[in-house]
Amino acid sequence: MSTTRRAAVLGSPIAHSLSPVLHRAAYAELGLDHWSYDRFEVDEAGLPRFFAELDASWAGLSLTMPLKRAVIPLLDEISDTAAAVEAVNTVVLREDGRRLGDNTDIPGMIAALHERGVEKVDSASVLGAGATASSALAALSRLCAGPVTAYVRSSARADEMRQWGERLGVDVRIGDWAEAGRAFDAPLVVATTPAGTTDALAGAVPDRPGTLFDVLYEPWPTALAAAWSAHGGAVVGGLDLLVHQAALQVEQMTGRAAPLAVMRAAGERALAAH
């Protein structure tokens, strides 16, 4: 009889998370009938108590906001990738009791771009300067040979992006949000802003755009992504990122190769039904 193994996604709010759909689809395809994957509403204050109650049945955790930084003091070790952006989205719970933290968002971004044929670019633009933007810079440190221009709304955000650039070895230049349409001259544009923020920019998409990576997956397509596609540009979406980072989590937690196509199909069905 197989030993029950548990995994879950934690965050607040968490009801919208597609992670259970993706991970459960992977378990079903891999025949891991004794594995379960749930979601738990956990904020920063409740995280230490949740960790204190974990037992040997737990294999791993996925973390979303606001827990990606708060979890670090509770771990025994974090990967270089997670340390680079001070954010952990994956915790692997070892049989020896050790708790290992990693960040699969960054390699997930890279894998999603590679899947669409984007291996290297000479320059790039980033729209926004939040937590996702720092992960985008980390991914671009491996993909972009030249400068990355970040379009932001405030001097404080500009300073943050410059600091991340220095830390990650990326030549970050700053553009004012009022001129964000100029971002589209770059061969790769990464939009990291909340829903609706880039809608007004849809009319600025050039006739021959490069590649847009819009990290949103709901609502989809965004106005910007729809306009980009209409002009013949390649679009990578938030579901692509979600699937790739989740696949890496499945592999770390189960030790098995993740069924990427099955996970993507499950995510597409869930979004269509929603």
Side-chain angles (χ1 to χ4, degrees), residues 74-228:
L74 304 176
L75 304 176
D76 296 299
E77 182 183 337
I78 66 172
S79 68
D80 291 343
T81 302
V85 290
E86 297 180 357
V88 167
N89 78 327
T90 307
V91 176
V92 176
L93 303 164
R94 296 268 296 271
E95 291 183 5
D96 62 6
R98 289 176 58 77
R99 297 165 175 175
L100 310 181
D102 194 13
N103 186 309
T104 63
D105 286 331
I106 295 165
M109 285 185 175
I110 294 170
L113 285 164
H114 282 178
E115 187 177 45
R116 301 301 174 86
V118 180
E119 301 280 347
K120 283 287 183 183
V121 291
D122 294 330
S123 64
S125 298
V126 174
L127 301 175
T132 305
S134 62
S135 292
L137 282 183
L140 290 170
S141 72
R142 308 178 196 181
L143 293 168
C144 185
V148 175
T149 304
Y151 289 83
V152 300
R153 293 185 184 276
S154 70
S155 58
R157 290 294 197 183
D159 289 341
E160 288 177 14
M161 290 298 280
R162 287 192 190 96
Q163 290 169 13
W164 279 117
E166 290 176 8
R167 181 168 183 167
L168 296 164
V170 178
D171 178 11
V172 172
R173 302 175 185 183
I174 302 300
D176 189 281
W177 186 263
E179 299 179 337
R182 296 177 63 182
F184 303 156
D185 294 335
L188 173 61
V189 179
V190 185
T192 69
T193 52
T197 307
T198 62
D199 288 1
L201 299 175
V205 177
D207 288 336
R208 294 186 178 181
T211 299
L212 171 69
F213 193 159
D214 194 326
V215 302
L216 294 173
Y217 62 83
E218 193 176 18
W220 188 261
T222 62
L224 179 59
W228 204 274

